[in-house]
Amino acid sequence: MTLIGTARTRLHAVIDPILTTRHDMLPPPDDGTVDPLLAYFQWRGWTIVDRDTHTTAVLSYPESFHGALGTVDRRSAAPDDNLQELEVELVLRGVHWVAHFSSCGVLIGCDRHRSIPVTMGVHALPFTAVLGILEFLARRRRPRDIAHCLVFGACSSHSIPSGPCLLRQPAADHRSTLHAVHHGGEGAE
């Protein structure tokens, strides 16, 4: 059985990298700096917007809105002021890396098109799946649909709150998939 086990291991070592897509790859191990995470996100097609220190960085996903925003300099105000590309702020909190996402959408708009915040630990088990879903939804977001809703639909309504979206508490059966991140003496998020 040892010969079969060895052959199987070698076969998987050759085949697995071929079958693994970039969306299946896990974030790199922590080395105390944001550099490996920057390389990981850039490999997935993200662009660095800002990097303050070795423990903080902001990246955007240029494929948001079918790439319609193109090469707009994300450090300056967006020409449309209401669109939010998929963006992430990577921050080291204690010994854990935390990703603060802003999903692709409008800053103030209807529930269907509004950008929502998503925060999770980078090395949490569902991170890669959540990241893949956020990227897929950002690529799929159609600027024409948002423009139509902003002009004629619910996004143009006067009943839209001017504040940020506040997420509802998750249902009891989903709590097992959430991972808390400790913020020093502030408690869990």
Side-chain angles (χ1 to χ4, degrees), residues 129-158:
V130 170
L131 179 58
I133 290 168
L134 288 171
E135 290 171 342
F136 171 77
L137 293 174
R139 286 189 305 271
R140 195 171 154 216
R141 182 71 73 180
R142 294 171 27 130
R144 188 176 69 168
D145 292 343
I146 290 177
H148 186 268
C149 191
L150 285 168
V151 174
F152 303 110
C155 284
S156 66
S157 170
H158 294 292

Side-chain angles (χ1 to χ4, degrees), residues 82 103-116 141 145-163 165:
N82 197 28
S103 69
C104 182
V106 293
L107 296 174
I108 299 172
C110 69
D111 288 341
R112 180 178 176 164
H113 296 118
R114 187 176 1 177
S115 172
I116 60 167
R141 182 71 73 180
D145 292 343
I146 290 177
H148 186 268
C149 191
L150 285 168
V151 174
F152 303 110
C155 284
S156 66
S157 170
H158 294 292
S159 65
I160 295 173
S162 60
C165 174

